[in-house]
Amino acid sequence: MIRLDKYLADMGIGTRQEVKKYIRQGRVSAGGAALKKPELKIDETKECIAFDGQEIRYAAYEYYMMNKPAGVISATRDGRDRTVLDLIESRKRKDLFPAGRLDKDTEGLLLITNDGALAHRLLSPEKHVDKVYYARVRGIVTDEDVRIFREGVDIGAGEEEERTRPAKLEIIESGPVSTVRLTIQEGKFHQVKRMFACTGKEVVYLKRERMGSLVLDASLNPGEYRRLTEEEIRGL
Ligand code: URA
């Protein structure tokens, strides 16, 4: 049960103050009858509230899959740059955040939700959830790199060791610019780029393809997003 004003504010109708005003103005109703008390308790799982005659179904959680485009920041707010949240026009909840960051120049799968427990399960290094990346790398990637990544790489700067967990590197094509697929189970800062830098190579294109059971929908162009299906949510 939640308060009527919270119900409407959570669904993005306005701030708590604004929705209180709308309620007093008689713009909020249930089953055709105006509800005039902001403190009225609503069973958000059963009742459906209307605002200006439009039904507003309550969503406790929202889950979006985005194909993040390059040039956009994986943050909730940024003074200068556009963020992934700026791209989601259909959202109801104001408390959405990206579950795990991708660099500004990285593309691909990003889960955007307000489900903190789920995000924690996906991102915690102890949970060993696979993150799969497709990359183009300047330099010839060799079987020796595969071995080095399998054993874990020290990506620490200077004296400080920062060893990655074993990672699976698949060479798709080796050449002056190689294409690879890399599976890691952590999300250290710039991890993929730093792993390749350790072998003297530069990542020139990076895209996340999968996180655990969640696979980037191939029909989403960079910048596009969709809600997760029930099955995808269950899978996570
Ligand atoms: N590793 C990186 O280096 N960058 C990303 O955006 C994600 C993983």
Side-chain angles (χ1 to χ4, degrees):
M1 300 284 278
I2 56 172
R3 284 173 57 118
L4 180 58
D5 53 356
K6 178 164 164 53
Y7 183 119
L8 293 164
D10 280 353
M11 292 304 93
I13 300 302
T15 63
R16 259 323 237 279
Q17 284 313 314
E18 285 165 347
V19 301
K20 277 184 184 150
K21 195 174 76 199
Y22 303 150
I23 293 166
R24 294 208 177 91
Q25 288 168 344
R27 295 171 68 181
V28 175
S29 60
L35 303 175
K36 294 232 167 146
K37 291 205 170 99
E39 67 278 11
L40 184 72
K41 285 279 168 66
I42 302 292
D43 181 349
E44 74 280 12
T45 62
K46 295 207 178 83
E47 287 173 85
C48 190
I49 301 301
F51 174 62
D52 284 347
Q54 279 252 308
E55 287 203 343
I56 311 289
R57 199 158 288 285
Y58 191 82
Y61 293 111
E62 285 190 289
Y63 303 90
Y64 292 97
M65 165 193 299
M66 175 181 284
N67 184 354
K68 178 193 168 296
V72 175
I73 305 278
S74 306
T76 46
R77 203 173 299 128
D78 190 277
R80 265 184 336 162
D81 289 295
R82 258 190 334 156
T83 74
V84 289
L85 289 180
D86 294 331
L87 300 179
I88 301 203
E89 286 161 4
S90 64
R91 68 186 169 131
K92 292 179 167 181
R93 305 243 13 153
K94 297 185 300 290
D95 51 358
L96 294 179
F97 61 89
R101 294 187 171 211
L102 293 176
D103 296 337
K104 187 173 175 182
D105 59 354
T106 301
E107 294 185 355
L109 177 63
L110 198 61
L111 171 66
I112 297 172
T113 183
N114 60 328
D115 186 340
L118 174 73
H120 178 73
R121 278 204 304 283
L122 283 173
L123 302 176
S124 161
E126 290 87 60
K127 307 281 184 199
H128 301 179
V129 174
D130 283 346
K131 283 103 190 167
V132 181
Y133 292 88
Y134 168 91
R136 283 199 287 274
V137 178
R138 205 185 310 282
I140 298 172
V141 177
T142 63
D143 289 341
E144 176 64 3
D145 297 325
V146 174
R147 188 191 61 74
I148 292 170
F149 281 18
R150 197 192 304 128
E151 285 176 6
V153 194
D154 176 16
I155 57 172
E159 304 276 282
E160 214 135 299
E161 192 187 72
E162 192 178 356
R163 190 157 282 281
T164 63
R165 292 180 49 78
K168 183 173 149 208
L169 176 61
E170 294 164 71
I171 303 173
I172 301 170
E173 201 180 335
S174 190
V177 176
S178 303
T179 52
V180 298
R181 187 163 281 117
L182 178 64
T183 305
I184 58 177
Q185 295 180 332
E186 310 151 287
K188 295 180 190 293
F189 185 62
H190 296 328
Q191 180 161 342
V192 176
K193 291 173 185 166
R194 285 159 74 203
M195 288 174 75
F196 278 102
C198 284
T199 65
K201 296 173 189 79
E202 186 198 354
V203 173
V204 293
Y205 174 78
L206 187 59
K207 175 179 182 176
R208 184 157 58 200
E209 298 180 321
R210 180 163 76 79
M211 258 176 107
S213 59
L214 191 62
V215 180
L216 179 64
D217 185 331
S219 71
L220 293 176
N221 290 314
E224 292 182 342
Y225 61 91
R226 66 158 169 81
R227 287 180 192 275
L228 292 198
T229 63
E230 287 297 323
E231 199 180 337
E232 285 168 334
I233 296 170
R234 267 198 307 276
L236 290 171

